[in-house]
């Protein structure tokens, strides 16, 4: 090759660049979908938040949030003032009840099996901080799945 000669990139490099761009577009679309799901969850909870936590209202909340979950069984009930971050990573079985004020961080994936009841103000988080140079403040996040078995309360 003569110095100063310009060589066009080979096909594999172009394909990898195209796939990278496609991958980033898919990732951005996933992020947009997840934000939209969370916005819908917040909307449902705000809209029904002034209503009492009677069984028909709790079932209505469960019905309206059902499409947002990874999987959802029948008779999902959720009380007011509950927060679910990463709702797309939450799977619930049949007859699951989430009480008033629960906070769920499901970024690592959570499964609530059949007949699980979460008491008021329960906190479930899949993430944890790791130690970095003697400090948890700047450590990377560690996210592991959580499974809560059938009939747990």
């Amino acid at each position: 090759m003569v110095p100063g000669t310009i060589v066009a990139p080979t096909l594999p490099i172009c394909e990898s660049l195209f796939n990278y761009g496609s991958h980033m577009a898919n990732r951005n679309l996933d992020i947009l979908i997840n934000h939209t799901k969370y916005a819908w969850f917040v909307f449902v909870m705000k809209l029904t938040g002034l209503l009492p936590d009677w069984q028909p209202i709790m079932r209505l909340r469960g019905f309206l949030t059902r499409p947002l979950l990874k999987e959802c069984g029948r008779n999902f009930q959720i009380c007011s003032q509950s927060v679910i971050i990463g709702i797309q990573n939450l799977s619930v079985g049949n007859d699951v009840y989430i009480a008033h004020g629960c906070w769920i961080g499901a970024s690592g994936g959570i499964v609530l099996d059949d007949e699980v009841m979460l008491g008021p103000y329960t906190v479930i988080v899949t993430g944890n901080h790791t130690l970095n140079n003697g400090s948890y403040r700047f450590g990377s996040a560690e996210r592991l799945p959580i499974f809560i078995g059938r009939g747990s309360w």
Side-chain angles (χ1 to χ4, degrees), residues 84-144:
I84 304 173
I85 307 294
I87 194 166
Q88 70 278 2
N89 300 318
L90 177 64
S91 297
V92 298
N94 297 323
D95 304 312
V96 171
Y97 171 79
I98 298 176
H100 180 85
C102 289
W103 197 95
I104 300 173
S107 60
I110 295 177
V111 175
L112 304 176
D113 205 5
D114 296 343
E115 301 173 17
V116 168
M117 295 189 310
L118 301 181
Y121 300 101
T122 299
V123 176
I124 302 173
V125 183
T126 61
N128 194 13
H129 300 277
T130 58
L131 195 60
N132 182 17
N133 295 326
S135 171
Y136 287 98
R137 171 70 174 94
F138 298 105
S140 61
E142 178 183 47
R143 293 178 176 87
L144 298 172

Side-chain angles (χ1 to χ4, degrees), residues 15-28:
E15 285 179 0
S16 67
L17 288 174
F18 174 76
N19 289 337
Y20 176 77
S22 173
H23 171 72
M24 290 306 293
N26 289 339
R27 172 118 173 92
N28 289 339

Side-chain angles (χ1 to χ4, degrees), residues 14 26 28 39 41 61 63 65 67-68 70 75 104 108 121 126-127 131 139:
C14 290
N26 289 339
N28 289 339
F41 174 77
R61 287 188 196 109
F63 175 77
T65 58
L68 310 176
K70 186 174 184 179
N75 191 26
I104 300 173
Y121 300 101
T126 61
L131 195 60

Side-chain angles (χ1 to χ4, degrees), residues 40 44-45 47-48 51 54-67 75-78:
W40 175 254
V44 167
M45 296 306 286
L47 183 67
T48 62
L51 301 173
W54 294 340
Q55 193 170 16
I57 304 302
M58 294 182 298
R59 283 185 176 173
L60 175 65
R61 287 188 196 109
F63 175 77
L64 293 174
T65 58
R66 177 187 187 103
N75 191 26
F76 174 48
Q77 298 179 37
I78 185 167

